[in-house]
């Protein structure tokens, strides 16, 4: 999952980036609203975590512009001014959730997961594709009832495919989930990770099918073609 974090308090921003990366999220971090607005025009994100009091453009103005472009990416606002009026303004402009500072990181991540589930129209934290199960709260995969331990990049690919189970996922979508802007996205690397995942899913009835020129699709034996 790829996150845009816009937070001008550098120590907090750096701490959140490390926290998100430890949870296997791909993170782009900016420190002003103008840069955030530009990235939201040019890049795909699964979630935006946005401070209200940003230089150049306020967080509220970033949200207003984002919704004016009909973007449906979920937005979680952060602010030190946790007043009712402040929350109402941000939510009316199109923010999806609001968290006052200081906050517990466990609550922040729980709210983030809830927003992503809502955007995927999947209210339950539990996902299933044949013998493959995933708990999006703990971010643990199980295969035929046994935990499936995966390196971060393979985990991110399988998570992306499972969230879009039965639908084609392009290499660009996978690259967006895997790589922050500071990293180089390699098509060959994606193929290597997919190959490793296929080996780990062998004989489970769950497979990653290549649709040449289009991308990949996660299927199980009982799924219709």
């Amino acid at each position: 999952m790829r996150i845009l974090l816009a937070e001008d308090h550098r120590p907090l921003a750096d701490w959140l980036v490390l926290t998100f990366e430890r949870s296997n999220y791909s993170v782009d971090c900016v420190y002003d609203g103008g840069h955030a607005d530009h990235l939201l025009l040019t890049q795909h994100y699964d979630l935006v975590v946005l401070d209200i009091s940003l230089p150049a453009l306020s967080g509220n103005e970033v949200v207003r512009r984002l919704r004016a472009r009909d973007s449906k990416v979920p937005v979680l606002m952060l602010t030190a001014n946790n007043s009712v009026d402040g929350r109402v303004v941000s939510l009316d402009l199109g923010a999806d959730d609001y968290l006052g500072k200081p906050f517990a990181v466990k609550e922040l991540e729980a709210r983030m997961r809830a927003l992503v589930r809502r955007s995927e129209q999947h209210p339950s934290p539990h996902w299933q594709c044949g013998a493959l199960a995933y708990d999006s709260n703990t971010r643990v995969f199980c295969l035929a009832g046994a935990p499936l331990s995966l390196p971060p990049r393979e985990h991110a690919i399988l998570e992306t495919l499972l969230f879009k189970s039965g639908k084609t996922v392009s290499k660009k979508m996978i690259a967006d989930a895997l790589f922050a802007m500071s990293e180089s996205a390699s098509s060959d690397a994606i193929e290597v990770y997919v190959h490793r995942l296929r080996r780990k899913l062998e004989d489970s009835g769950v497979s990653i099918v290549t649709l040449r020129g289009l991308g990949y699709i996660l299927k199980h034996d009982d799924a219709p073609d």
Side-chain angles (χ1 to χ4, degrees):
M1 186 168 74
R2 190 179 185 192
I3 299 170
L4 174 63
L5 171 65
E7 168 59 64
D8 67 326
H9 187 263
R10 299 287 180 118
L12 175 58
D14 293 344
W15 175 70
L16 286 174
V17 168
L18 288 173
T19 299
F20 294 158
E21 288 179 343
R22 287 193 196 106
S23 296
N24 295 332
Y25 296 123
S26 174
V27 188
D28 290 331
C29 180
V30 296
Y31 308 104
D32 66 78
H35 198 177
D37 183 55
H38 174 71
L39 287 182
L40 289 167
L41 275 166
T42 59
Q43 303 292 319
H44 167 80
Y45 294 97
D46 299 294
L47 177 71
V48 180
V49 179
L50 186 65
D51 184 44
I52 287 183
S53 301
L54 291 171
L57 290 177
S58 70
N60 282 339
E61 178 61 16
V62 173
V63 171
R64 188 195 67 77
R65 294 185 181 198
L66 182 68
R67 298 311 184 213
R69 297 192 291 266
D70 292 327
S71 172
K72 294 179 174 58
V73 60
V75 177
L76 191 154
M77 304 294 283
L78 301 176
T79 182
N81 177 21
N82 193 17
S83 67
V84 172
D85 288 344
R87 293 196 299 270
V88 168
V89 169
S90 297
L91 294 170
D92 281 349
L93 285 170
D96 298 280
D97 201 358
Y98 195 106
L99 189 59
K101 301 175 183 176
F103 52 82
V105 71
K106 287 184 178 180
E107 181 180 3
L108 172 61
E109 291 195 315
R111 288 174 179 265
M112 290 165 53
R113 292 191 297 267
L115 288 179
V116 171
R117 290 198 302 269
R118 192 184 308 165
S119 71
E120 296 286 349
Q121 298 182 335
H122 190 98
S124 170
H126 303 290
W127 300 71
Q128 193 86 28
C129 179
L132 181 68
Y134 182 59
D135 185 329
S136 63
N137 286 341
T138 61
R139 306 198 75 208
V140 171
F141 283 103
C142 287
L143 189 61
L148 178 63
S149 180
L150 297 171
R153 292 276 165 88
E154 292 175 34
H155 187 286
I157 291 177
L158 192 56
E159 182 183 62
T160 301
L161 290 170
L162 184 60
F163 284 177
K164 303 292 184 184
S165 182
K167 299 177 183 177
T168 303
V169 179
S170 68
K171 279 190 176 180
K172 183 181 184 308
M173 290 175 66
I174 291 176
D176 286 343
L178 281 183
F179 303 105
M181 289 188 65
S182 58
E183 302 172 297
S184 58
S186 166
S187 178
D188 290 343
I190 290 172
E191 291 177 6
V192 170
Y193 297 136
V194 169
H195 175 71
R196 291 173 181 168
L197 281 170
R198 283 186 173 129
R199 293 181 61 183
K200 292 171 183 177
L201 295 173
E202 276 180 349
D203 302 321
S204 69
V206 180
S207 58
I208 301 173
V209 178
T210 300
L211 302 178
R212 196 164 300 278
L214 297 175
Y216 304 99
I217 186 168
L218 185 70
K219 299 181 70 174
H220 61 92
D221 287 346
D222 297 330
D225 293 328

Short mmCIF file of all heavy atoms in Angstrom, two decimals, residues 2-3 25 36 46 52 67-68 72-74 90 104 124 129 133 148 159 179-180 186 188 191 194 197 202 209 217:
data_model
loop_
_atom_site.label_atom_id
_atom_site.label_comp_id
_atom_site.label_asym_id
_atom_site.label_seq_id
_atom_site.Cartn_x
_atom_site.Cartn_y
_atom_site.Cartn_z
N ARG A 2 0.52 2.21 -0.83
CA ARG A 2 1.33 3.42 -0.97
C ARG A 2 0.63 4.60 -0.30
O ARG A 2 -0.54 4.86 -0.55
CB ARG A 2 1.58 3.73 -2.44
CG ARG A 2 2.60 4.83 -2.68
CD ARG A 2 2.79 5.05 -4.16
NE ARG A 2 3.82 6.01 -4.43
CZ ARG A 2 4.03 6.56 -5.62
NH1 ARG A 2 3.27 6.22 -6.65
NH2 ARG A 2 4.99 7.44 -5.81
N ILE A 3 1.37 5.31 0.54
CA ILE A 3 0.83 6.40 1.35
C ILE A 3 1.55 7.69 0.99
O ILE A 3 2.77 7.71 0.81
CB ILE A 3 1.03 6.12 2.85
CG1 ILE A 3 0.30 4.84 3.26
CG2 ILE A 3 0.57 7.29 3.70
CD1 ILE A 3 0.66 4.39 4.66
N TYR A 25 4.57 -0.46 4.51
CA TYR A 25 3.93 0.50 3.61
C TYR A 25 5.00 1.22 2.80
O TYR A 25 6.10 1.48 3.29
CB TYR A 25 3.13 1.54 4.39
CG TYR A 25 1.96 1.00 5.18
CD1 TYR A 25 1.86 1.21 6.55
CD2 TYR A 25 0.95 0.27 4.56
CE1 TYR A 25 0.79 0.72 7.28
CE2 TYR A 25 -0.12 -0.23 5.28
CZ TYR A 25 -0.19 0.00 6.64
OH TYR A 25 -1.26 -0.49 7.36
N ALA A 36 2.41 18.48 -1.84
CA ALA A 36 1.39 17.44 -1.71
C ALA A 36 0.37 17.52 -2.85
O ALA A 36 0.01 16.51 -3.45
CB ALA A 36 0.68 17.56 -0.36
N ASP A 46 -2.88 5.07 -2.21
CA ASP A 46 -3.99 4.35 -1.60
C ASP A 46 -4.57 5.11 -0.42
O ASP A 46 -5.72 4.88 -0.02
CB ASP A 46 -3.53 2.96 -1.13
CG ASP A 46 -3.02 2.12 -2.29
OD1 ASP A 46 -3.83 1.78 -3.18
OD2 ASP A 46 -1.81 1.82 -2.31
N ILE A 52 -3.15 19.56 8.76
CA ILE A 52 -3.94 20.73 8.34
C ILE A 52 -3.06 21.96 8.19
O ILE A 52 -3.18 22.72 7.22
CB ILE A 52 -5.08 21.01 9.34
CG1 ILE A 52 -6.17 19.95 9.19
CG2 ILE A 52 -5.67 22.40 9.13
CD1 ILE A 52 -7.36 20.16 10.08
N ARG A 67 -10.71 16.90 -4.00
CA ARG A 67 -12.10 16.50 -4.24
C ARG A 67 -12.68 17.23 -5.45
O ARG A 67 -13.56 16.67 -6.14
CB ARG A 67 -12.96 16.77 -3.00
CG ARG A 67 -12.55 15.97 -1.77
CD ARG A 67 -12.37 14.49 -2.05
NE ARG A 67 -12.07 13.73 -0.83
CZ ARG A 67 -11.30 12.67 -0.80
NH1 ARG A 67 -10.73 12.21 -1.92
NH2 ARG A 67 -11.08 12.02 0.33
N ALA A 68 -12.20 18.43 -5.74
CA ALA A 68 -12.67 19.14 -6.95
C ALA A 68 -12.26 18.40 -8.21
O ALA A 68 -12.91 18.55 -9.26
CB ALA A 68 -12.11 20.57 -6.97
N LYS A 72 -11.10 10.03 -5.31
CA LYS A 72 -11.74 9.34 -4.20
C LYS A 72 -10.73 8.74 -3.21
O LYS A 72 -11.11 7.95 -2.35
CB LYS A 72 -12.67 8.24 -4.74
CG LYS A 72 -13.86 8.80 -5.51
CD LYS A 72 -14.74 7.69 -6.06
CE LYS A 72 -15.99 8.27 -6.70
NZ LYS A 72 -15.70 9.21 -7.79
N VAL A 73 -9.46 9.09 -3.35
CA VAL A 73 -8.45 8.55 -2.43
C VAL A 73 -8.81 8.96 -1.00
O VAL A 73 -9.15 10.12 -0.74
CB VAL A 73 -7.03 9.04 -2.82
CG1 VAL A 73 -6.92 10.55 -2.78
CG2 VAL A 73 -5.99 8.40 -1.90
N PRO A 74 -8.79 8.02 -0.05
CA PRO A 74 -9.13 8.37 1.34
C PRO A 74 -8.09 9.30 1.96
O PRO A 74 -6.89 9.14 1.73
CB PRO A 74 -9.20 7.03 2.06
CG PRO A 74 -8.49 6.06 1.18
CD PRO A 74 -8.58 6.57 -0.21
N SER A 90 -12.95 20.44 7.94
CA SER A 90 -12.17 19.47 7.16
C SER A 90 -13.05 18.37 6.58
O SER A 90 -12.89 17.99 5.42
CB SER A 90 -11.08 18.85 8.05
OG SER A 90 -10.16 19.83 8.47
N ALA A 104 -1.97 8.27 19.51
CA ALA A 104 -1.31 6.97 19.63
C ALA A 104 -1.17 6.37 18.24
O ALA A 104 -2.13 6.35 17.47
CB ALA A 104 -2.12 6.04 20.53
N SER A 124 -15.01 -5.85 6.28
CA SER A 124 -14.36 -6.80 7.18
C SER A 124 -12.85 -6.71 7.05
O SER A 124 -12.32 -6.52 5.95
CB SER A 124 -14.81 -8.23 6.86
OG SER A 124 -14.02 -9.17 7.57
N CYS A 129 -9.10 -15.80 -0.42
CA CYS A 129 -9.08 -16.26 -1.81
C CYS A 129 -8.71 -17.74 -1.77
O CYS A 129 -7.53 -18.09 -1.68
CB CYS A 129 -8.07 -15.47 -2.64
SG CYS A 129 -7.97 -16.00 -4.39
N ALA A 133 -5.74 -16.76 3.21
CA ALA A 133 -6.49 -15.85 4.08
C ALA A 133 -5.56 -14.74 4.54
O ALA A 133 -4.34 -14.92 4.67
CB ALA A 133 -7.05 -16.60 5.29
N LEU A 148 1.83 -17.71 6.64
CA LEU A 148 2.69 -17.59 5.46
C LEU A 148 3.55 -16.36 5.64
O LEU A 148 3.09 -15.23 5.52
CB LEU A 148 1.82 -17.47 4.20
CG LEU A 148 2.57 -17.28 2.86
CD1 LEU A 148 3.44 -18.50 2.56
CD2 LEU A 148 1.59 -17.02 1.73
N GLU A 159 -0.62 -8.65 -1.08
CA GLU A 159 -1.67 -7.84 -0.50
C GLU A 159 -2.43 -7.09 -1.60
O GLU A 159 -3.66 -7.06 -1.63
CB GLU A 159 -1.08 -6.85 0.50
CG GLU A 159 -2.11 -5.98 1.20
CD GLU A 159 -1.46 -4.98 2.12
OE1 GLU A 159 -0.68 -4.13 1.63
OE2 GLU A 159 -1.71 -5.03 3.34
N PHE A 179 7.02 0.72 -4.51
CA PHE A 179 8.13 1.66 -4.56
C PHE A 179 7.70 3.08 -4.24
O PHE A 179 6.75 3.60 -4.82
CB PHE A 179 8.79 1.65 -5.94
CG PHE A 179 9.27 0.29 -6.38
CD1 PHE A 179 8.58 -0.43 -7.34
CD2 PHE A 179 10.41 -0.27 -5.83
CE1 PHE A 179 9.01 -1.68 -7.76
CE2 PHE A 179 10.85 -1.52 -6.24
CZ PHE A 179 10.16 -2.23 -7.20
N ALA A 180 8.40 3.73 -3.32
CA ALA A 180 8.25 5.15 -3.11
C ALA A 180 8.97 5.89 -4.24
O ALA A 180 9.72 5.29 -5.01
CB ALA A 180 8.83 5.55 -1.75
N SER A 186 11.37 -1.34 -10.95
CA SER A 186 11.91 -2.23 -11.98
C SER A 186 10.87 -3.29 -12.35
O SER A 186 10.39 -4.04 -11.49
CB SER A 186 13.18 -2.91 -11.47
OG SER A 186 13.53 -3.99 -12.29
N ASP A 188 11.51 -5.91 -14.13
CA ASP A 188 12.16 -7.22 -13.94
C ASP A 188 12.08 -7.65 -12.48
O ASP A 188 11.87 -8.84 -12.19
CB ASP A 188 13.63 -7.15 -14.38
CG ASP A 188 13.78 -7.01 -15.89
OD1 ASP A 188 12.79 -7.29 -16.60
OD2 ASP A 188 14.86 -6.61 -16.34
N GLU A 191 8.71 -9.11 -11.70
CA GLU A 191 8.57 -10.47 -12.22
C GLU A 191 9.27 -11.48 -11.30
O GLU A 191 8.77 -12.59 -11.09
CB GLU A 191 9.13 -10.55 -13.63
CG GLU A 191 8.28 -9.79 -14.65
CD GLU A 191 8.89 -9.82 -16.04
OE1 GLU A 191 9.92 -10.52 -16.22
OE2 GLU A 191 8.35 -9.15 -16.94
N VAL A 194 7.03 -11.94 -8.22
CA VAL A 194 5.85 -12.73 -8.57
C VAL A 194 6.23 -14.20 -8.72
O VAL A 194 5.49 -15.10 -8.27
CB VAL A 194 5.20 -12.19 -9.86
CG1 VAL A 194 4.13 -13.17 -10.38
CG2 VAL A 194 4.56 -10.83 -9.60
N LEU A 197 6.54 -15.71 -5.33
CA LEU A 197 5.21 -15.93 -4.74
C LEU A 197 4.53 -17.15 -5.33
O LEU A 197 3.90 -17.93 -4.61
CB LEU A 197 4.33 -14.69 -4.95
CG LEU A 197 4.58 -13.51 -4.02
CD1 LEU A 197 3.82 -12.29 -4.50
CD2 LEU A 197 4.17 -13.86 -2.59
N GLU A 202 2.37 -22.79 -4.65
CA GLU A 202 2.22 -24.04 -5.39
C GLU A 202 1.41 -25.08 -4.62
O GLU A 202 1.56 -25.22 -3.40
CB GLU A 202 3.61 -24.64 -5.71
CG GLU A 202 4.24 -24.05 -6.95
CD GLU A 202 5.61 -24.67 -7.23
OE1 GLU A 202 6.14 -25.39 -6.35
OE2 GLU A 202 6.14 -24.43 -8.32
N VAL A 209 -1.99 -15.54 -12.10
CA VAL A 209 -2.04 -15.75 -13.55
C VAL A 209 -1.55 -14.49 -14.26
O VAL A 209 -1.95 -13.38 -13.90
CB VAL A 209 -3.48 -16.07 -14.00
CG1 VAL A 209 -3.55 -16.25 -15.51
CG2 VAL A 209 -3.99 -17.32 -13.27
N ILE A 217 -3.46 -11.56 -12.22
CA ILE A 217 -4.73 -11.75 -11.52
C ILE A 217 -4.57 -12.89 -10.53
O ILE A 217 -3.95 -13.92 -10.86
CB ILE A 217 -5.87 -12.01 -12.53
CG1 ILE A 217 -7.22 -12.06 -11.81
CG2 ILE A 217 -5.64 -13.26 -13.34
CD1 ILE A 217 -8.40 -12.04 -12.77
#
